[in-house]
Amino acid sequence: LLVQALTAGSATILIAGYFIKTPLEIRNPTLLILLISLIISLAMIMGEIALPHVSEDVRIATQVLIKGKLSGRFWGLVVCVGMIVPIILAAVAHRSTASAALSIAAAILALAGLWWFEELWIKAGQSAPLS
């Protein structure tokens, strides 16, 4: 949750900062926080789906998420659009001085990725049979 909070907070600051014209001294560290938190979040998610599961219900939910009916949205929306693309955009924006549009795009996609992940994680958890 801490990593997700860093992602959401830095993305929100970048978006709000665009409208109130924040200086580069604020935007660049915030963009770096977004970049690092996205990388850590991606690593944590990949680790979570790769490691052995504590129960059969968690195993079933994970399989539904990565190989089942939710897999297209998980790999496409969460991993690619919500994490990998924002990582690339944030990295490029961090190297460039005139990259407000890239920063905003990375922030919006990162927030969307968080939303999609939470939605799919809940749906995957509900896919395990109750009895």
Side-chain angles (χ1 to χ4, degrees):
L1 289 175
L2 177 62
V3 175
Q4 290 177 332
L6 287 170
T7 301
S10 58
T12 303
I13 289 170
L14 286 169
I15 294 167
Y18 175 76
F19 294 106
I20 60 172
K21 307 291 187 226
T22 57
L24 287 176
E25 295 82 26
I26 294 174
R27 187 188 66 124
N28 284 340
T30 305
L31 187 59
L32 186 60
I33 291 169
L34 177 65
L35 177 61
I36 292 169
S37 64
L38 282 168
I39 292 169
I40 292 170
S41 183
L42 180 60
M44 288 175 64
I45 289 173
M46 293 300 112
E48 192 167 341
I49 64 175
L51 293 174
H53 306 294
V54 296
S55 72
E56 184 64 16
D57 291 340
V58 175
R59 188 193 67 74
I60 291 169
T62 302
Q63 291 303 310
V64 167
L65 191 64
I66 64 172
K67 294 181 182 176
K69 66 181 180 178
L70 301 176
S71 65
R73 286 183 279 171
F74 175 72
W75 294 112
L77 293 176
V78 175
V79 175
C80 291
V81 176
M83 293 187 164
I84 294 174
V85 171
I87 287 170
I88 294 167
L89 291 174
V92 171
H94 188 66
R95 294 199 177 270
S96 171
T97 56
S99 58
L102 292 176
S103 299
I104 300 303
I108 290 170
L109 291 176
L111 288 173
L114 287 173
W115 177 273
W116 291 322
F117 176 74
E118 291 304 318
E119 178 186 346
L120 294 176
W121 193 250
I122 290 168
K123 286 181 180 179
Q126 294 172 345
S127 66
L130 295 176
S131 57

